[in-house]
Amino acid sequence: MRRLVLSLAALAAAPVFAQSGAPAISVDTLKDVTKTLSSDAFEGRAPTTPAEDKTVAYMVERMKAAGLKPGNEGSWFQDVPMVQMTAENMTPMTFTGGKAPVSLVYRDDMVVSTYRVTPKIDVRNSDVVFVGYGINAPEKGWNDYAGIDVKGKTVVVLINDPDWQAPNNQGLFDGKAMTYYGRWTYKFEEAARQGAAAVIIVHDTDPAAYGWGVVRSSWSGAQLELDEKGNHMDQSQAIGWMQLAKAKQVFASGGKDFDQLQAAAKVKGFKAVPLGVKFSVGFTNTIKRQASKNVIGMLPGTERPDETVVYSAHWDHLGHCTPVKGDDICNGALDNASGSAGLIALAEAQAKAGPAKRTMVFLSVTAEESGLLGSKYYAEHPVFPLAKTVGGVNMDGLNVIGPAKDFVVTGFGKSELEDLMKPLVEAQGRVMKPEPNPERGGYFRSDHFSFARLGVPMFDGGSGEDLVDGGVAKGHAATLDYIENRYHKPQDEYDPNWNWAGAVQDLTLYYQFGRQLADTPVWPNWYKAAEFRAIRDRSRAGARSGQ
């Protein structure tokens, strides 16, 4: 803690960035950018489509107007090599060999895809094994794959962690708070490491934290992945999801009780169970290789220009998606045209205030909706070295329902950035809190995670549900309404009646926070118990030895 005390002492000696002293956040900018990017003219901003060209050109136009400079050695862009695969000629997903065959209909009952860059996927009569939560965590003494060989087999996996129903955040897997072991991306990664031919996750709305409509819209149509050597042939052939009701039919066909095995999977020492059925599915892939783009603007630092502070937000959304009442454009107004608008509004405010001592980077990333691909590529191929990236703020959806009394931190308790943000929040008369729904795994679902996993502390937080007008009841109802009726659906559209006062509150905090990071010598780290602390320490040690 001594290093942090020294850092905060240096911070205390620096100018205080009071809320009244910050340049005003332009509501007109927030409205204009959000309305423009989420209009039908931008067709849902899908990467590697003609809509991308229009989107990134607009972001550059607004960054120039804000007063930024190109952030990648004179260019506004960082090319992100992508491979797009569109599954076609889908055969039904079937489970045979049990009491009765079970056939699942694409989109209605199941979705399936692949990471492999190959023109055809054909999995036939693969033995099916239930592997519980599909977790292999040696540090916790937990291995759902212990004692069974799943090479060439199909594994059925539950979403989230074994203790996701715990009433608090206490437990082997942090109880209610999802760990990375509960995230769907981990399930597929671990199954591939185990040699599984196919991986099917059972969708259940409560532990997944979103309904089937979200899965269907996200997993149907063209899918993107980073274009890398080896064409991802080390991954499972087929990856996908099936509805809970169908999963129960599959288990019953194999003479197994789903509810009993689900309960057994929550207990340490669970052993994987062959289901006595065989899995088949097939489809072809139309493959298209094409670079997408991250957009990078910057305000060069005056004294320590090689040290950077990052603001990030993703510009992409889902493009054309499953129609609702004839509307097939997922406009993504809140997610994340609003965050992109916040990025531009902050650029305007910081440019108006003049350059800071450290360089400020404004990063508009691609393909967040495809698995954080744009931020992942940047973090693995950084324009500004991560060892000298101080930290920053990620924005994924702004508050458009009114001012809040609370300020909620996603992944609360992980980094010293919280110590810097807390006094700013309190100066607004607000209270900083942990996220109320850590079981949704929000910490692993947006672009800050791409930086975190490589050691860079990035702050992700915003207005909570305790609204000034209406309190928690109104705020929680608004959250549920968005998740159920608009999230990843065509209904996420711009509303001229939105209340931007809460967004301005939060963006003012992001402005002050970024200024402090950029104008002081502070070097925040992760708390000692955080899983990313060792990575950051090695990174910073290397940077210091190289100075």
Side-chain angles (χ1 to χ4, degrees):
M1 288 296 290
R2 186 170 182 273
R3 189 188 59 75
L4 176 59
V5 171
L6 290 174
S7 298
L8 292 178
L11 182 61
V16 176
F17 302 101
Q19 183 174 354
S20 59
I25 300 296
S26 172
V27 174
D28 287 340
T29 293
L30 296 176
K31 290 180 177 179
D32 185 43
V33 175
T34 304
K35 182 179 180 180
T36 299
L37 287 177
S38 63
S39 68
D40 282 357
F42 283 73
E43 299 183 77
R45 307 187 305 283
T48 73
T49 69
E52 166 168 347
D53 296 336
K54 184 178 293 187
T55 302
V56 298
Y58 180 75
M59 291 302 295
V60 169
E61 175 189 331
R62 296 300 304 233
M63 285 186 180
K64 284 181 179 178
L68 302 187
K69 294 183 178 180
N72 187 9
E73 298 180 348
S75 173
W76 291 99
F77 302 116
Q78 179 188 41
D79 283 342
V80 181
M82 297 277 194
V83 58
Q84 175 182 291
M85 293 184 290
T86 305
E88 299 170 322
N89 304 312
M90 187 75 60
T91 64
M93 181 184 289
T94 60
F95 293 85
T96 58
K99 295 179 180 178
V102 181
S103 181
L104 284 69
V105 177
Y106 182 52
R107 294 188 180 180
D108 291 340
D109 303 324
M110 63 86 174
V111 290
V112 67
S113 184
T114 186
Y115 290 138
R116 293 191 178 194
V117 185
T118 182
K120 186 176 181 179
I121 294 293
D122 189 22
V123 181
R124 293 294 158 198
N125 298 317
S126 169
D127 290 333
V128 180
V129 180
F130 174 59
V131 294
Y133 287 88
I135 294 172
N136 180 16
E139 77 282 6
K140 299 179 184 294
W142 190 291
N143 186 2
D144 287 325
Y145 290 95
I148 193 164
D149 183 357
V150 299
K151 290 183 175 64
K153 298 177 182 178
T154 294
V155 297
V156 174
V157 189
L158 300 173
I159 194 63
N160 213 313
D161 299 313
D163 54 6
W164 70 272
Q165 290 175 298
N168 51 41
N169 291 3
Q170 302 300 313
L172 190 62
F173 292 94
D174 295 346
K176 184 180 179 182
M178 183 188 288
T179 69
Y180 189 54
Y181 292 116
R183 187 75 174 126
W184 60 264
T185 49
Y186 169 80
K187 313 287 186 182
F188 294 142
E189 290 167 1
E190 185 58 38
R193 285 190 285 267
Q194 298 289 335
V199 195
I200 305 299
I201 296 174
V202 178
H203 175 264
D204 188 351
T205 298
D206 287 343
Y210 39 77
W212 181 252
V214 173
V215 177
R216 180 175 56 197
S217 62
S218 300
W219 284 80
S220 55
Q223 302 291 304
L224 291 174
E225 186 51 72
L226 293 179
D227 191 3
E228 297 175 339
K229 292 181 180 179
N231 289 324
H232 304 285
M233 296 303 286
D234 58 340
Q235 298 299 304
S236 300
Q237 293 181 59
I239 55 175
W241 299 67
M242 64 177 165
Q243 293 257 41
L244 175 62
K246 285 294 182 179
K248 291 184 175 182
Q249 289 182 29
V250 171
F251 279 57
S253 177
K256 306 295 189 296
D257 184 285
F258 176 85
D259 293 333
Q260 288 182 0
L261 287 181
Q262 182 185 47
K266 295 178 181 296
V267 180
K268 191 173 183 179
F270 167 79
K271 300 297 183 183
V273 178
L275 293 184
V277 297
K278 294 183 180 293
F279 170 88
S280 297
V281 75
F283 54 92
T284 60
N285 272 325
T286 298
I287 300 170
K288 179 181 179 183
R289 285 182 163 90
Q290 179 178 333
S292 186
K293 288 180 169 59
N294 290 330
V295 184
I296 309 174
M298 70 174 181
L299 288 173
T302 57
E303 294 185 12
R304 298 185 296 279
D306 60 329
E307 298 175 359
T308 57
V309 174
V310 177
Y311 287 110
S312 63
H314 71 92
W315 59 255
D316 68 294
H317 199 57
L318 303 178
H320 291 268
C321 55
T322 303
V324 175
K325 295 181 180 179
D327 183 1
D328 74 339
I329 297 178
C330 277
N331 301 85
L334 192 68
D335 181 19
N336 190 31
S338 71
S340 297
L343 190 71
I344 298 301
L346 284 169
E348 292 175 346
Q350 296 290 9
K352 182 177 180 180
K357 294 177 181 179
R358 287 167 166 158
T359 296
M360 288 186 173
V361 176
F362 298 80
L363 181 60
S364 177
V365 295
T366 182
E368 189 269 355
E369 303 290 6
S370 299
L372 317 183
L373 299 184
S375 58
K376 179 183 179 183
Y377 187 81
Y378 177 89
E380 293 176 354
H381 306 83
V383 174
F384 301 91
L386 297 191
K388 292 194 174 183
T389 299
V390 181
V393 177
N394 181 59
M395 293 164 285
D396 197 351
L398 299 183
N399 171 9
V400 293
I401 58 176
K405 302 174 188 177
D406 53 354
F407 184 85
V408 171
V409 179
T410 305
F412 186 83
K414 287 188 179 293
S415 89
E416 295 168 357
L417 292 177
E418 295 171 24
D419 300 298
L420 306 182
M421 182 64 84
K422 186 176 180 180
L424 301 176
V425 172
E426 292 176 344
Q428 286 190 344
R430 302 167 72 186
V431 178
M432 196 161 83
K433 298 179 180 178
E435 57 194 310
N437 302 107
E439 71 276 11
R440 293 175 183 162
Y443 192 73
F444 313 107
R445 292 170 60 181
S446 197
D447 292 304
H448 60 276
F449 181 63
S450 294
F451 289 86
R453 61 190 285 270
L454 295 181
V456 178
M458 286 285 287
F459 196 88
D460 186 65
S463 293
E465 295 180 341
D466 190 2
L467 301 182
V468 173
D469 180 14
V472 175
K474 182 178 178 181
H476 187 60
T479 298
L480 292 179
D481 176 68
Y482 175 72
I483 292 173
E484 293 174 3
N485 299 315
R486 280 178 282 284
Y487 177 61
H488 280 204
K489 297 176 183 177
Q491 295 96 318
D492 185 6
E493 297 183 306
Y494 176 79
D495 185 343
N497 296 316
W498 277 342
N499 183 342
W500 291 93
V504 170
Q505 268 190 322
D506 292 348
L507 288 165
T508 300
L509 292 175
Y510 304 155
Y511 169 86
Q512 297 168 329
F513 181 73
R515 269 283 149 175
Q516 289 189 347
L517 287 179
D519 260 343
T520 67
V522 66
W523 270 102
N525 203 337
W526 303 93
Y527 294 137
K528 289 184 178 180
E531 58 265 53
F532 312 114
R533 174 68 181 243
I535 302 172
R536 179 65 160 183
D537 288 345
R538 288 194 297 269
S539 173
R540 290 291 300 135
R544 286 191 290 269
S545 66
Q547 290 176 346

